[in-house]
Amino acid sequence: MTAEHLDGNTLAGPLGELFAVDVTTATGRCANCGLTGPIGSLHVYGPDPGLVGRCPGCEEVVLRLVRGPGRAWLDMRGTVTLRVDLPD
Amino acid sequence: MGGFVSIISRGFHGRRRDEGDRLPPGQYLVEDFPVLSAGPTPRVPPERWEFAIDTEAGVTHRWTWPEFLALPQETPTVDIHCVTEWSKLDTSWEGVSLDTLLENVDTAADYALVHSYGGYTTNLPLEDLLDGKAWIVHRFGGEELQPQHGGPARLLVPHLYFWKSAKWVRGIRLLDDDRPGFWETAGYHNYGDPWREQRYEGD
Ligand SMILES: [Zn+2]
């Protein structure tokens, strides 16, 4: 079966509205199975009614992003940690 | 003469006016059937399918696929409205009314949390499932409901935005307290009445 989901890097633009850094290169840890990897490696479904990023290991929801007029909702309950590399 | 013309043309104009009346605010009409998904499409073979209603008292009522098909079937033709602004008129379905499924279920619950194969959930007041307003459907347009549209069976609750009509429905939990579902906890409206344009939280 061909992949139904979008590339994880699809998240770069929508998340770029919220974060000062490129979150797709940050390292996330799946709250369900513990798999660690870049946010850009998530299996993304959407964009409507919202973007749903799922763990490539267990398919559980890692993050959800809904963009309404004038506001956005970001749910990251499926992420234990997000490691962002920054300059010293 | 004027009267004669108005009688002849009433059907045509009447239909056009009806279509306008049937389109909630902010919606446009589509002829196709867009597919929106929040995850991989579950493939549930009928022999593994079951539908369950759990009451607030902890009692579970279950139906296998053959048991579900043996229940009285209805063929609702309804308009559906997606929160992403498309509406589709006169969609025809076949399935079992929630009135039938809940007939012998002893409950005083006020809320329902619908859950699906694949993990999706959506919530609504129990009264929105009753009195001929909701069905578990397994056929669309005279054919078996395809997996991308929620087959083997989905909830159909057409008076609310279509995200409430959970695809791949697996069961309903009856609850004393409201428990927001998948989209309802991510910015979408808790109730979702298309006629009041309740798209997002706070609308
Ligand atoms: Zn995982």
Side-chain angles (χ1 to χ4, degrees), chain A residues 29-36 55-62 78 80:
Chain A
R29 185 178 164 84
C30 172
N32 185 52
C33 76
L35 184 72
T36 296
C55 172
C58 71
E59 293 290 354
E60 263 303 317
V61 178
V62 172
V80 179

Side-chain angles (χ1 to χ4, degrees), chain A residues 1 4 45-46 48-52 54 59 61 64 66-69 71 73 75 77, chain B residues 36-41 43 83-84 118 181-183 185-188 200-203:
Chain A
M1 200 178 78
E4 295 176 272
Y45 294 82
D48 295 317
L51 286 162
V52 178
R54 289 178 178 267
E59 293 290 354
V61 178
R64 301 180 294 168
V66 169
R67 181 68 159 93
R71 61 227 141 120
W73 290 265
D75 180 310
R77 75 182 70 180
Chain B
L36 282 74
S37 69
T41 301
R43 310 279 162 171
V83 73
T84 62
F182 187 85
W183 289 121
T185 53
Y188 280 97
Y200 298 99
E201 183 191 305
D203 282 351

Side-chain angles (χ1 to χ4, degrees), chain B residues 78-81 133-135 156-162 165 194-195:
Chain B
V78 296
D79 301 343
I80 56 177
H81 312 290
K133 292 197 291 287
W135 299 263
L156 176 66
V157 51
H159 70 285
L160 300 177
Y161 280 126
F162 210 45
S165 294
W195 295 98

Side-chain angles (χ1 to χ4, degrees), chain B residues 46-47 49 51 63-74 94-96 100-101 136-139 144-145 152-153:
Chain B
E47 61 272 19
W49 186 90
F51 179 77
W63 293 264
T64 63
W65 187 248
E67 287 166 349
F68 169 70
L69 293 182
L71 295 170
Q73 303 288 314
E74 297 184 8
E94 182 177 340
V96 178
T100 302
L101 290 159
I136 304 293
V137 292
H138 57 94
R139 293 179 74 78
E144 230 170 66
L145 186 60

Side-chain angles (χ1 to χ4, degrees), chain B residues 53-59 61 101-109 126 174:
Chain B
I53 295 177
D54 298 299
T55 74
E56 74 279 21
V59 177
H61 301 254
L101 290 159
L102 288 162
E103 198 174 350
N104 297 313
V105 174
D106 185 22
T107 182
L126 179 56
L174 304 177

Side-chain angles (χ1 to χ4, degrees), chain B residues 7-22:
Chain B
I7 289 167
I8 289 184
S9 59
R10 188 167 54 202
F12 180 66
H13 288 290
R15 183 150 36 112
R16 283 180 55 190
R17 190 169 58 244
D18 281 355
E19 283 193 0
D21 290 348
R22 288 163 66 182

